[in-house]
Amino acid sequence: MHHKTKTKRYQAVVIGSSAGGIQALTAVLSPLPKDFPLPIIIVQHLHPHSNSYLARILEHHSQLRVKQADEKEPILNGWVYVAPPAYHLLIEEDRTFSLSIDQPVKFARPSVDVLFETATYAYRENLIGIILTGANNDGCDGAKRIKDMGGYMIVQDPKTAVAASMPESAIQHAEIDKVVPLYNIGEYLLQLVNQSNRILK
């Protein structure tokens, strides 16, 4: 019989961002080492006709490998995946991606809520969610769902956001574990993951 400890081994990171998000995402990813052990899966609201430049920009500012997520692709540790423009990005229980052109959620496709909520079925309590800058309330239901499942939620301090509504809405609607200024999030994430892995080795 083993005792449940409060610390868990995290298995994935999901990030949602909107207005001002590209700058915020580069700030979060740039401090992470190339051996960062988890997959990072991102929904950034983009114009539907924008091409896949987001992955290229993020890879340029990061030591990690970044790509646009593909249908049925298995999710691998140490990669950063971004949702393609105009598609919802879902995570299946077998930890592969699926893409959907269902209706926008909160006027957004891809939707942060859709990514976060589907990620909880695959990763349950072993999930870290991060909400960054944005001008709407996409992500607040997903943040609540991650917390309900026992995961960990980080929100960008709204005072450091280009658009404060998305982080403020998450803070109001979900029990957030930590509110962190933008330029400390990458470092904080690294500490959190290293600490959980060390304790559970």
Side-chain angles (χ1 to χ4, degrees):
M1 159 129 176
H2 66 264
H3 297 285
K4 243 186 114 126
T5 62
K6 267 189 78 74
T7 307
K8 43 197 162 282
R9 185 184 282 281
Y10 294 112
Q11 295 171 355
V13 180
V14 286
I15 303 180
S17 54
S18 188
I22 294 175
Q23 177 202 352
L25 288 165
T26 58
V28 171
L29 295 179
S30 57
L32 301 178
K34 63 174 181 291
D35 61 352
F36 185 76
L38 306 185
I40 297 174
I41 303 142
I42 295 170
V43 159
Q44 158 71 33
H45 295 161
L46 292 165
H47 188 277
H49 302 301
S50 59
N51 59 18
S52 57
Y53 68 88
L54 178 62
R56 289 201 300 276
I57 293 173
L58 296 182
E59 189 161 61
H60 185 67
H61 291 277
S62 166
Q63 298 180 61
L64 299 167
R65 296 165 296 181
V66 184
K67 74 182 296 293
Q68 195 163 279
D70 286 317
E71 179 77 26
K72 302 274 182 283
E73 178 175 16
I75 298 169
L76 302 176
N77 287 339
W79 278 82
V80 178
Y81 299 95
V82 298
Y87 286 89
H88 289 308
L89 182 60
L90 294 79
I91 298 177
E92 301 294 337
E93 288 191 53
D94 65 357
R95 300 184 179 182
T96 60
F97 289 119
S98 59
L99 302 176
S100 139
I101 51 166
D102 286 348
Q103 287 300 309
V105 174
K106 296 179 184 164
F107 308 105
R109 191 177 68 209
S111 150
V112 178
D113 281 331
V114 168
L115 171 65
F116 281 21
E117 286 172 15
T118 58
T120 63
Y121 292 106
Y123 294 101
R124 309 191 73 80
E125 74 276 12
N126 304 113
L127 185 64
I128 298 170
I130 302 176
I131 297 267
L132 300 175
T133 176
N136 62 6
N137 66 346
D138 189 16
C140 67
D141 293 337
K144 196 169 177 323
R145 173 79 187 161
I146 288 174
K147 287 307 301 164
D148 289 347
M149 295 291 275
Y152 195 95
M153 268 309 304
I154 299 168
V155 173
Q156 178 180 351
D157 184 338
K159 292 197 286 291
T160 68
V162 170
S165 344
M166 209 154 108
E168 279 171 353
S169 167
I171 291 165
Q172 282 162 12
H173 288 92
E175 285 181 38
I176 301 305
D177 292 284
K178 195 82 175 159
V179 176
V180 185
L182 175 60
Y183 286 96
N184 301 102
I185 293 175
E187 217 170 282
Y188 183 76
L189 175 63
L190 190 57
Q191 283 171 1
L192 189 65
V193 169
N194 285 346
Q195 187 185 12
S196 80
N197 287 357
R198 258 203 315 277
I199 290 170
L200 291 176
K201 268 195 174 133

